Amino acid sequence: MDSSPIPITVLLIDEYKEDRATLLRCFEEHGAGRFRVYEVSSGETALAWFRAVRPDCVVAELKFTDVIGMDLLSQLYAEMDGKPVLVFVWTRLIHTMLRKGASMLGVQGYFEKVKESERRMVEAILAAFGRTR
């Protein structure tokens, strides 16, 4: 019988291909086998993917060319329909009001895209799900 834990399903919403690749590498390095990650490259398609995947966790950038990031977060929370989904922000946008607004919505963690922030975020996700190394 396989006793390995069920992977955490993550919906990664980020327009920046390089940033998605960086984060995917980090998920693999620091959470080998603990994550199943689905990538979405636009805010516009994020809700459809959210409905289809029904993730345990969302990691979202707030800077998009097609939607307003905070509006997307609000829509995601409205879609949760009582299911507890942890949301983490990993963004290029550094603004106190965005951080405060995200926190008020219920965002679990807000990380600015700086060196090593992807590792700290993956560790925070693992800790939130009780799966530390």
Side-chain angles (χ1 to χ4, degrees), residues 32-98:
R34 299 184 208 177
F35 296 100
R36 179 181 301 124
V37 182
Y38 295 88
E39 295 178 66
V40 180
S41 61
S42 77
E44 191 173 275
T45 59
L47 284 177
W49 274 89
F50 182 85
R51 291 177 192 123
V53 172
R54 300 312 272 175
D56 303 307
C57 178
V58 171
V59 174
E61 167 64 89
L62 293 181
K63 185 176 181 181
F64 293 98
T65 56
D66 61 346
V67 298
I68 296 170
M70 290 302 290
D71 288 348
L72 175 61
L73 287 182
S74 294
Q75 292 171 339
L76 288 171
Y77 275 102
E79 286 287 325
M80 288 182 191
D81 208 22
K83 180 186 179 202
V85 178
L86 299 184
V87 177
F88 291 82
V89 170
W90 188 50
T91 187
R92 295 172 185 274
L93 297 177
I94 302 167
H95 194 281
T96 304
M97 292 306 293
L98 287 174

Side-chain angles (χ1 to χ4, degrees), residues 79-127:
E79 286 287 325
M80 288 182 191
D81 208 22
K83 180 186 179 202
V85 178
L86 299 184
V87 177
F88 291 82
V89 170
W90 188 50
T91 187
R92 295 172 185 274
L93 297 177
I94 302 167
H95 194 281
T96 304
M97 292 306 293
L98 287 174
R99 183 182 295 270
K100 189 178 230 178
S103 178
M104 289 174 66
L105 283 172
V107 167
Q108 190 79 18
Y110 192 103
F111 296 85
E112 298 165 4
K113 288 183 180 176
V114 294
K115 186 176 181 168
E116 294 294 312
S117 64
E118 67 275 4
R119 181 186 53 76
R120 289 191 309 275
M121 187 179 55
V122 169
E123 289 171 353
I125 293 169
L126 286 169

